[in-house]
Amino acid sequence: MRIGELAARAGTTTRALRYYESRGLLTARRAENGYRAYDEDDLRLLRQIRTLQDFGFELEETRPFVECLRAGHPAGDTCPASLAVYRRKLAELDGLIGQLQSVRDQVGAQLARAESARAELEAGSLVPGVPGCEMTGMEEGLG
Amino acid sequence: MRIGELAARAGTTTRALRYYESRGLLTARRAENGYRAYDEDDLRLLRQIRTLQDFGFELEETRPFVECLRAGHPAGDTCPASLAVYRRKLAELDGLIGQLQSVRDQVGAQLARAESARAELEAGSLVPGVPGCEMTGMEEGLG
DNA sequence: GCTTGCCTTGACGTCGGCGTCAAGGCATAC
DNA sequence: GTATGCCTTGACGCCGACGTCAAGGCAAGC
């Protein structure tokens, strides 16, 4: 199969495949006319890459999985190096999720504080004539 | 105060300040010799920007806060436009956290599956002589 | 005068994963 | 022959928030 068909079957583009090749993942044999030629194994390999990419793995992080498949294993995550990447990614995700949760809480607190400050202004009918800060009703409409 | 001192007091770099200026945030008056001159209000403004940046806000998203401060408000998040950014960011964060949590769970499941598959191999002492997949003991050491 | 240190503008580099265009070769259909 | 559609390599573009370098001006100390 040629590059266009492989790309279509994996739900990606020819450009991406050439890029993977330039990075040393997904090598291709060549037909007589110079066209890249792929087989079903290449498709499995590519699908492994795409799955991990969809998870947010960097391309380099997919390399152990690819090499594991190339080594003849039925699954790319059978080898120790792949498992190590999984574990690193889990730790990374946990850290990131925690960070984002912390930011979320802080932003939420800031919002609550700012909203109650505005509520006090409205209650006292103390609307200062400052441009950009009139009572527009947007406070309600965007919740 | 000049750009170097302002940058230092806000914990950032002169390059960042010139970049903010190029984006229309943080304008500066000029001294006679052409040097940028800042005052304490600029510092407050810059600190608002940095705080939001540390939260992961894009520079454009800090603009309403900056304009709110410029309009004379004591806090940058008093104005409706700023509150709207807070709310958008909360929704964005919730979505992202949910996505990451989903990915985390999937990766965790994959890891568990792959680990138990290897455990079965080890139990049966069926270690195939495939390069890159020998029993190296790394499985234990990297958890 | 000379050095040092801060300032100026301008412009190119970084990172990842491609998108997009250019110029041309190959293969099939009409 | 030629129009179409796939393929080839090469190279520049993109995004965000700056980093870094270049070439030169300004101010103060010795």
Side-chain angles (χ1 to χ4, degrees):
Chain A
M1 131 184 58
R2 292 179 303 183
I3 194 170
E5 186 183 345
L6 179 62
R9 288 182 64 184
T12 183
T13 66
T14 62
R15 182 69 184 89
L17 302 202
R18 295 199 188 92
Y19 179 66
Y20 298 159
E21 184 173 324
S22 80
R23 300 288 96 187
L25 310 157
L26 197 70
T27 60
R29 77 174 181 83
R30 295 302 179 117
E32 292 183 356
N33 56 12
Y35 289 9
R36 288 172 179 81
Y38 302 93
D39 56 24
E40 297 296 322
D41 284 342
D42 293 319
L43 177 57
R44 271 187 285 276
L45 213 145
L46 178 53
R47 284 190 168 142
Q48 172 76 79
I49 296 176
R50 297 304 302 178
T51 299
L52 296 176
Q53 285 271 90
D54 290 345
F55 279 166
F57 284 51
E58 291 178 12
L59 214 47
E60 268 314 305
E61 295 176 317
T62 72
R63 194 178 295 277
F65 297 80
V66 168
E67 288 177 355
C68 190
L69 278 173
R70 281 228 194 93
H73 293 273
D77 55 9
T78 318
C79 303
S82 307
L83 295 181
V85 172
Y86 273 159
R87 293 200 189 91
R88 269 196 292 117
K89 208 66 190 179
L90 273 182
E92 188 185 317
L93 283 168
D94 286 340
L96 186 53
I97 289 171
Q99 262 189 343
L100 288 178
Q101 190 63 53
S102 162
V103 167
R104 198 234 106 93
D105 293 344
Q106 292 180 68
V107 172
Q110 283 295 104
L111 174 59
R113 201 193 41 69
E115 273 178 335
S116 72
R118 280 193 70 80
E120 266 188 51
L121 278 183
E122 291 179 28
S125 292
L126 294 172
V127 183
V130 182
C133 203
E134 296 83 5
M135 294 293 131
T136 63
M138 287 179 66
E139 306 88 311
E140 266 51 63
L142 290 173
Chain B
M1 116 187 69
R2 293 179 304 183
I3 194 170
E5 185 182 345
L6 179 62
R9 288 181 64 183
T12 182
T13 66
T14 62
R15 181 68 184 91
L17 302 202
R18 295 198 188 94
Y19 179 66
Y20 298 160
E21 185 173 324
S22 80
R23 300 288 95 187
L25 309 157
L26 198 73
T27 59
R29 76 174 181 84
R30 296 301 181 117
E32 291 183 357
N33 56 13
Y35 288 10
R36 289 172 180 82
Y38 302 93
D39 55 24
E40 296 297 321
D41 283 342
D42 293 319
L43 177 58
R44 271 187 286 277
L45 213 145
L46 178 54
R47 283 190 169 143
Q48 172 75 81
I49 296 176
R50 297 305 301 177
T51 299
L52 296 176
Q53 285 271 88
D54 289 346
F55 280 166
F57 283 49
E58 291 179 11
L59 214 47
E60 268 314 305
E61 295 177 316
T62 72
R63 195 178 295 276
F65 297 79
V66 168
E67 288 177 355
C68 190
L69 277 174
R70 281 227 194 93
H73 293 273
D77 56 9
T78 318
C79 304
S82 306
L83 295 181
V85 172
Y86 272 159
R87 293 199 189 92
R88 269 197 292 118
K89 207 66 190 180
L90 275 182
E92 188 185 318
L93 282 168
D94 286 340
L96 185 55
I97 289 170
Q99 263 189 344
L100 289 178
Q101 190 63 53
S102 162
V103 167
R104 198 233 106 95
D105 293 345
Q106 292 180 70
V107 171
Q110 284 295 104
L111 174 60
R113 201 193 41 68
E115 273 177 335
S116 71
R118 280 194 70 80
E120 265 187 50
L121 277 184
E122 290 179 30
S125 293
L126 293 171
V127 182
V130 182
C133 204
E134 295 83 5
M135 294 293 132
T136 63
M138 286 179 68
E139 304 88 310
E140 266 53 62
L142 289 172

